[in-house]
Amino acid sequence: DAGITQSPRHKVTETGTPVTLRCHQTENHRYMYWYRQDPGHGLRLIHYSYGVKDTDKGEVSDGYSVSRSKTEDFLLTLESATSSQTSVYFCATSEPFPRTDTQYFGPGTRLTVL
Amino acid sequence: KNEVEQSPQNLTAQEGEFITINCSYSVGISALHWLQQHPGGGIVSLFMLSSGKKKHGRLIATINIQEKHSSLHITASHPRDTAVYICAVLGGNQFYFGTGTSLTVIP
């Protein structure tokens, strides 16, 4: 298994508070992704990074920001959490095509915003 | 409209049955992935395809680029195959995902 960890694994927070989720990889993969998974929607891309300090928005980026200061870490920040951001968040990594053989997923973070 | 559509959404099978899950996509792609999400939530990659057919054990994946369609087949299904199967396509730098097919295999 690829070495991808996420922290925390579970978090309960209140509306309006800032939240930061961390993704750490030991595979030296260039690309990293943050997704959210909600019933009926499947996985949706929030933001992705194609290198250190290089990031871009996905389809559901509103209310989220990211940072990648080194290859192994990709942070997702909710500046002011809302109940609509209650979800399961997955981090993933890959190499760019054609070196891509697959995406490797972290174990997920379950976030509840009250 | 989803770029990736899967069918069926839900599937229940008896142990030993042959199973087919379908995926259609509308974007230009460089590769297609089949993923498995276990009941505990973890996601693992089963296959990456850019053409033709691949086989791993009891799993077979095919892709028809002209028709923008892929199928995942499970031969001799087993209760441990119970999971959600997700089709994902790589278009540009992004992956687009189907909503998944929930498979339950009954002993």
Side-chain angles (χ1 to χ4, degrees), chain B residues 20-84:
Chain B
T20 296
I21 299 170
N22 295 299
C23 174
S24 296
Y25 54 92
S26 58
V27 295
I29 70 168
S30 36
L32 181 144
H33 287 223
W34 282 102
L35 307 170
Q36 181 190 55
Q37 186 167 26
H38 298 290
I43 300 173
V44 296
S45 175
L46 298 174
F47 294 102
M48 190 205 79
L49 293 166
S50 51
S51 65
K53 175 179 172 179
K54 283 192 177 180
K55 184 176 188 289
H56 288 160
R58 295 179 295 107
L59 302 179
I60 303 167
T62 64
I63 187 168
N64 186 317
I65 297 294
Q66 287 74 26
E67 295 185 5
K68 296 190 173 181
H69 181 267
S70 176
S71 292
L72 176 67
H73 306 286
I74 305 175
T75 63
S77 58
H78 190 277
R80 64 175 174 267
D81 297 325
T82 294
V84 175

Side-chain angles (χ1 to χ4, degrees), chain A:
Chain A
D1 287 339
I4 303 171
T5 57
Q6 292 183 229
S7 58
R9 294 292 312 282
H10 302 271
K11 186 168 182 68
V12 179
T13 191
E14 293 187 349
T15 297
T17 59
V19 176
T20 296
L21 308 182
R22 179 179 184 243
C23 177
H24 179 79
Q25 60 144 332
T26 59
E27 301 300 310
N28 203 36
H29 286 164
R30 181 177 162 192
Y31 280 40
M32 298 185 76
Y33 308 81
W34 276 108
Y35 298 99
R36 60 178 290 172
Q37 186 178 43
D38 305 288
H41 288 280
L43 287 156
R44 291 184 291 174
L45 181 66
I46 304 170
H47 282 279
Y48 68 100
S49 168
Y50 46 95
V52 173
K53 298 192 188 305
D54 292 323
T55 65
D56 207 348
K57 296 179 180 180
E59 74 174 292
V60 290
S61 59
D62 287 348
Y64 302 95
S65 62
V66 290
S67 66
R68 190 166 178 204
S69 59
K70 43 187 179 175
T71 299
E72 56 266 36
D73 290 326
F74 193 31
L75 304 181
L76 177 71
T77 298
L78 292 66
E79 300 289 348
S80 178
T82 68
S83 59
S84 65
Q85 294 174 311
T86 292
S87 187
V88 180
Y89 292 84
F90 286 95
C91 173
T93 72
S94 74
E95 282 290 279
F97 193 83
R99 295 203 304 276
T100 307
D101 58 348
T102 188
Q103 272 198 323
Y104 297 90
F105 285 84
T109 294
R110 186 172 295 274
L111 176 66
T112 302
V113 184
L114 302 175

